[in-house]
Amino acid sequence: MTACVAKLCLCPGRQSEQLLRKVCGLQWNPGTLQSRNLVVQHPEKVCTVQEVRLKLLKHMGIEHQGYQRFKYSRDHLLELLPKSKKDLPVRKMQDSFDSAIIPLGKDVALQERYISFLGHVRTGRLMEDLDIFAVWLTHKHLKLPQEPAKDQPTPYVIVTVLVDQIDFTDLTPTADQDIRLTGHVSWVGSSSLETTVWMEQHSQVTDTWNRMTTATFLMAARDSNNEGPALVNPLQAETEEEKAILEQGEKKKQRRLKLQSTSLYRTLPSVSEQRTIHDIFLKTLDIPGGGRSGIPTFRSTSDIPNSVTMNSASLSSIVFCHPEDRNMHNKVFGGFLMRQALELAWTAGYLFSKYRPKLCHISNIGFHAPVDVGSLLGLTAYVCYTEQNFMQISVYAEVYDPRSGRNVTTNDFHYTFSITEELPLILPKTYQECMMYLDGRRRFQHVMGLKE
């Protein structure tokens, strides 16, 4: 039995920490309401993230398989999948609860993979670990009606559908201290699951674990061949805190449905949004209203003070996807895509603002189509909206087919960065850029709590 001491701040809405106390048998020490010491009793040694990866490979039955060019059949596992949700046993939140360590404090070679040129931890690397850990927690939730035979691979395939949101604290992680991932399944649908993961870094000075980020993943359970949905175990809340977590998951689902129905790709902008775009148009006129003649005289966008066109605030790259970038289903690993997009977005923000930007929030990451190994993946980052010292950056990933010249958008990523100085305004020039501008504005307002 090992014991870790963690100092956690009690804030409204942190129901997952209530669950942490229940699952790990935490004991309160005397202290103030704002900050108390928690003693976490671990029943067994906490795994590293690399050990979690190996567990997943064994769970999928592919621990001894290398890269396969052709899809291998898992037809024999289809009969293990449930035909009805009633056949599946009810699961609890503590059934999927787990922790894992990134041992940066002891592994110097590992530090080389995670350290940035500033001596901090590369957030893109952490995104990879968050994704793989969320998949592991999802698998822990799933339980078949009958115990499978020994060494029987799981009939489920878990894919990441959406990263709903990731919030960051003011803590800047260093590359020489251990990082801990903790989480559990927090909401369940018929074939989809929401998994909440939070990440903390250990401080040797105070011997505490300090919160870095909280992430919410939406995962989908697929059949053995990844060709259709698979039913998943229902989730039962046992305490008031767990009921609140489930209720929050349902609210997030309703918000996702609302966002889909009101998306600018489906509906017209609101009246206020149309006015916003028209106000930008008026800034491009040399004389508002066109003067006496009523004929507009346009001025160059370079003559508009404190502004930058969206096209000039963009950055592109092309990545060739190798087998080392694959997941357990021989598709490109979602964490790899998140790392590539985040680092491109940061670079675009750096070039645009001339300052090293700070990542404040990830509002949405969508996985719309799988990316095959061997694909030519194009990524384009746009600074699509600014306000005061904040910038909203969107990254779109597309798979190119050199022969046909066609491309398919597979992912979209949306980030909020900040710097210490006020930023110039973004000027969209085409209708497409105007819609990207409004979409970025919507996301920024939601992140800042200005809009539901």
Side-chain angles (χ1 to χ4, degrees):
M1 303 263 298
T2 61
C4 299
V5 179
K7 179 178 285 187
L8 300 175
C9 295
L10 295 181
C11 298
R14 290 191 177 174
Q15 293 92 350
S16 292
E17 292 177 1
Q18 306 289 340
L19 178 64
L20 176 63
R21 297 205 304 270
K22 182 176 186 298
V23 174
C24 294
L26 304 181
Q27 300 174 351
W28 288 104
N29 289 337
T32 65
L33 180 63
Q34 287 77 22
S35 180
R36 299 186 182 184
N37 290 328
L38 300 179
V39 180
V40 187
Q41 299 291 341
H42 292 285
E44 58 185 23
K45 180 180 178 292
V46 179
C47 294
T48 65
V49 172
Q50 180 58 30
E51 289 170 339
V52 167
R53 292 174 184 267
L54 296 176
K55 281 184 178 182
L56 269 173
L57 290 173
K58 184 176 181 180
H59 190 61
M60 294 293 297
I62 55 176
E63 71 270 33
H64 302 303
Q65 293 185 11
Y67 171 62
Q68 305 288 326
R69 287 186 59 195
F70 305 103
K71 182 179 178 180
Y72 53 89
S73 174
R74 285 164 50 93
D75 291 340
H76 62 290
L77 299 174
L78 291 172
E79 61 184 21
L80 299 176
L81 291 170
K83 304 297 186 291
S84 169
K85 192 133 183 170
K86 296 179 180 178
D87 300 333
L88 290 166
V90 176
R91 302 288 278 168
K92 301 172 184 177
M93 290 188 186
Q94 59 260 40
D95 293 328
S96 60
F97 182 89
D98 207 350
S99 293
I101 293 289
I102 306 173
L104 297 177
K106 309 175 187 66
D107 194 331
V108 178
L110 192 64
Q111 291 178 14
E112 290 292 319
R113 294 186 65 245
Y114 282 78
I115 194 168
S116 72
F117 68 98
L118 293 173
H120 305 150
V121 173
R122 293 170 60 185
T123 307
R125 289 288 186 200
L126 299 180
M127 302 304 302
E128 294 180 327
D129 294 329
L130 283 170
D131 188 40
I132 199 74
F133 188 63
V135 172
W136 168 245
L137 297 179
T138 305
H139 274 291
K140 284 198 68 178
H141 171 84
L142 301 173
K143 185 176 177 64
L144 296 171
Q146 296 180 345
E147 286 294 329
K150 188 178 181 180
D151 297 328
Q152 175 72 60
T154 178
Y156 286 99
V157 170
I158 301 299
V159 297
T160 305
V161 176
L162 180 75
V163 182
D164 197 314
Q165 62 181 35
I166 302 180
D167 299 302
F168 294 88
T169 67
D170 291 332
L171 176 68
T172 301
T174 60
D176 59 353
Q177 297 295 318
D178 288 353
I179 292 175
R180 181 172 68 187
L181 289 78
T182 309
H184 60 88
V185 171
S186 50
W187 176 86
V188 167
S190 59
S191 62
S192 57
L193 309 92
E194 180 190 276
T195 302
T196 301
V197 182
W198 58 95
M199 186 177 284
E200 303 156 309
Q201 182 161 54
H202 185 255
S203 171
Q204 284 187 337
V205 177
T206 59
D207 195 24
T208 58
W209 291 92
N210 301 310
R211 176 71 58 87
M212 294 166 49
T213 183
T214 303
T216 305
F217 289 79
L218 184 66
M219 320 297 289
R222 310 281 291 173
D223 65 27
S224 307
N225 290 323
N226 195 12
E227 294 175 348
L231 297 173
V232 298
N233 302 77
L235 182 63
Q236 177 180 303
E238 292 189 297
T239 66
E240 292 302 318
E241 289 84 4
E242 292 180 1
K243 290 178 181 177
I245 293 172
L246 278 179
E247 183 179 350
Q248 188 65 26
E250 187 63 31
K251 287 181 179 178
K252 290 178 182 177
K253 174 190 174 182
Q254 296 304 321
R255 180 178 177 272
R256 287 192 293 267
L257 293 174
K258 181 180 178 181
L259 287 177
Q260 290 177 4
S261 64
T262 59
S263 169
L264 291 167
Y265 299 111
R266 298 184 178 184
T267 62
L268 286 170
S270 66
V271 173
S272 63
E273 289 175 332
Q274 294 177 40
R275 187 179 299 114
T276 298
I277 294 301
H278 190 69
D279 289 341
I280 294 175
F281 165 74
L282 293 178
K283 290 179 181 178
T284 66
L285 298 180
D286 192 25
I287 302 175
R292 282 185 186 176
S293 64
I295 300 173
T297 302
F298 296 99
R299 56 177 171 172
S300 171
T301 52
S302 60
D303 295 333
I304 301 175
N306 195 34
S307 65
V308 177
T309 61
M310 185 182 296
N311 184 59
S312 62
S314 63
L315 185 65
S316 299
S317 69
I318 291 183
V319 178
F320 187 82
C321 301
H322 293 281
E324 67 173 327
D325 306 322
R326 74 189 187 278
N327 59 18
M328 288 165 286
H329 319 302
N330 269 352
K331 301 295 183 180
V332 175
F333 175 42
F336 170 80
L337 298 173
M338 288 193 285
R339 175 167 63 87
Q340 294 290 333
L342 176 57
E343 294 182 352
L344 182 67
W346 187 92
T347 306
Y350 190 8
L351 291 172
F352 168 70
S353 67
K354 310 300 187 293
Y355 291 87
R356 296 186 181 110
K358 175 187 176 184
L359 179 62
C360 302
H361 189 90
I362 300 177
S363 55
N364 182 271
I365 296 175
F367 293 82
H368 309 296
V371 179
D372 294 323
V373 173
S375 297
L376 281 176
L377 183 71
L379 296 133
T380 305
Y382 299 91
V383 181
C384 54
Y385 181 77
T386 60
E387 188 165 328
Q388 297 179 15
N389 63 319
F390 292 93
M391 55 183 141
Q392 193 72 27
I393 299 181
S394 296
V395 180
Y396 297 92
E398 298 176 310
V399 170
Y400 294 114
D401 185 342
R403 293 183 178 178
S404 66
R406 296 180 64 251
N407 55 291
V408 176
T409 300
T410 58
N411 304 82
D412 61 311
F413 311 81
H414 305 276
Y415 310 98
T416 305
F417 290 92
S418 68
I419 62 170
T420 56
E421 301 291 332
E422 187 166 349
L423 287 160
L425 300 176
I426 291 294
L427 289 179
K429 297 183 69 175
T430 66
Y431 191 81
Q432 178 182 353
E433 289 182 353
C434 287
M435 295 304 100
M436 293 171 60
Y437 178 92
L438 292 178
D439 184 64
R441 181 172 177 265
R442 286 183 179 184
R443 295 181 188 278
F444 176 78
Q445 289 179 341
H446 176 71
V447 166
M448 293 299 164
L450 304 174
K451 184 178 180 180
E452 285 296 326

